[in-house]
C-alpha cells in the first residue's frame, strides 16, 4: 500500500492541493506533475486523457466562478477530486508516495509566498493590506501589473 500511506488521506491532501493550485499561476506545473503520475501507472492514453479532462474541467469551473461563489465551488471540486484520486489510488496504490510528494511540494511552495507585514505605531490610524487592487472612498490603489 504505497509506503504505508493511508490512500484516502493522500487523496484528500492531493485534492486540496490541486484545487489550491488551480487558482494560481502554477497550475500548469501541477497539472504536468499529475499527468506524469497518471502516465507512469501504465494507463492507456484514453484513461490518462479522461483523468486529465476531469481535472481541466474542474480548473475551468473554479476559474470561471465568481468571487462570491468561488469558496463553494472549490469545496465541491475538492470533494469530486477526492473521489477521482481515491479511485485512482485504489487501482494504483503504489502511486500514493508520488502523490504525497506532490502534496508536500505544494505545501512547501505555499509557506514562502504571500505578504508579510509588521505594523507598529499605528495609533489613531488605519492599516490596509491587500494583494490586489483596492479602492475605498476616495482612495484607490492598483497593484503593479507584474504583481497581480
Amino acid at each position: 500500500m504505497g509506503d504505508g500511506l493511508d490512500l484516502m488521506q493522500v487523496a484528500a491532501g492531493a485534492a486540496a492541493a490541486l484545487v489550491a493550485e488551480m487558482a494560481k499561476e502554477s497550475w500548469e506545473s501541477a497539472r504536468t506533475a499529475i499527468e506524469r503520475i497518471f502516465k507512469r501507472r501504465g494507463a492507456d492514453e484514453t484513461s490518462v486523457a479522461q483523468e486529465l479532462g476531469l481535472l481541466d474541467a474542474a480548473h475551468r469551473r473554479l476559474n470561471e466562478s465568481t468571487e462570491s461563489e468561488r469558496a463553494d465551488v472549490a469545496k465541491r471540486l475538492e470533494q469530486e477530486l477526492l473521489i477521482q484520486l481515491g479511485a485512482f489510488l485504489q487501482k494504483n496504490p503504489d502511486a500514493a508516495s508520488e502523490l504525497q510528494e506532490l502534496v508536500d511540494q505544494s505545501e512547501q511552495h505555499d509557506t514562502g509566498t504571500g505578504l508579510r507585514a509588521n505594523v507598529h505605531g499605528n495609533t489613531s490610524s488605519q492599516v490596509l493590506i491587500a494583494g490586489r487592487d483596492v479602492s475605498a472612498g476616495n482612495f484607490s490603489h492598483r497593484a503593479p501589473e507584474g504583481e497581480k
Side-chain angles (χ1 to χ4, degrees):
M1 161 166 10
D3 296 339
L5 297 170
D6 180 297
L7 298 181
M8 291 311 288
Q9 190 173 17
V10 172
L18 286 173
V19 170
E21 291 295 324
M22 286 178 184
K24 300 179 192 173
E25 291 178 17
S26 59
W27 166 242
E28 283 303 318
S29 66
R31 185 190 184 281
T32 300
I34 195 79
E35 180 179 14
R36 277 193 306 270
I37 292 170
F38 288 153
K39 284 183 176 180
R40 279 193 206 132
R41 300 295 144 250
D44 59 76
E45 287 297 318
T46 303
S47 296
V48 172
Q50 288 173 340
E51 296 284 353
L52 292 174
L54 292 171
L55 286 176
D56 292 337
H59 177 250
R60 274 191 307 279
R61 283 177 34 213
L62 182 66
N63 287 291
E64 290 173 356
S65 64
T66 63
E67 283 293 322
S68 63
E69 62 187 9
R70 186 149 303 148
D72 289 335
V73 170
K75 196 176 293 186
R76 282 194 308 274
L77 291 176
E78 199 171 313
Q79 291 170 348
E80 291 172 17
L81 290 175
L82 169 63
I83 294 167
Q84 178 186 359
L85 295 171
F88 172 76
L89 287 176
Q90 291 296 322
K91 293 182 259 180
N92 304 283
D94 57 323
S97 59
E98 288 180 81
L99 205 50
Q100 184 61 50
E101 282 180 37
L102 183 66
V103 173
D104 295 343
Q105 288 173 355
S106 176
E107 289 173 355
Q108 285 175 353
H109 289 136
D110 285 344
T111 59
T113 61
L115 176 68
R116 283 188 189 197
N118 292 318
V119 180
H120 303 281
N122 63 327
T123 305
S124 300
S125 65
Q126 293 181 356
V127 176
L128 176 65
I129 300 172
R132 297 198 50 115
D133 299 346
V134 176
S135 63
N138 62 358
F139 171 81
S140 182
H141 172 74
R142 290 189 51 89
E145 286 299 315
E147 295 181 21
K148 284 188 178 181

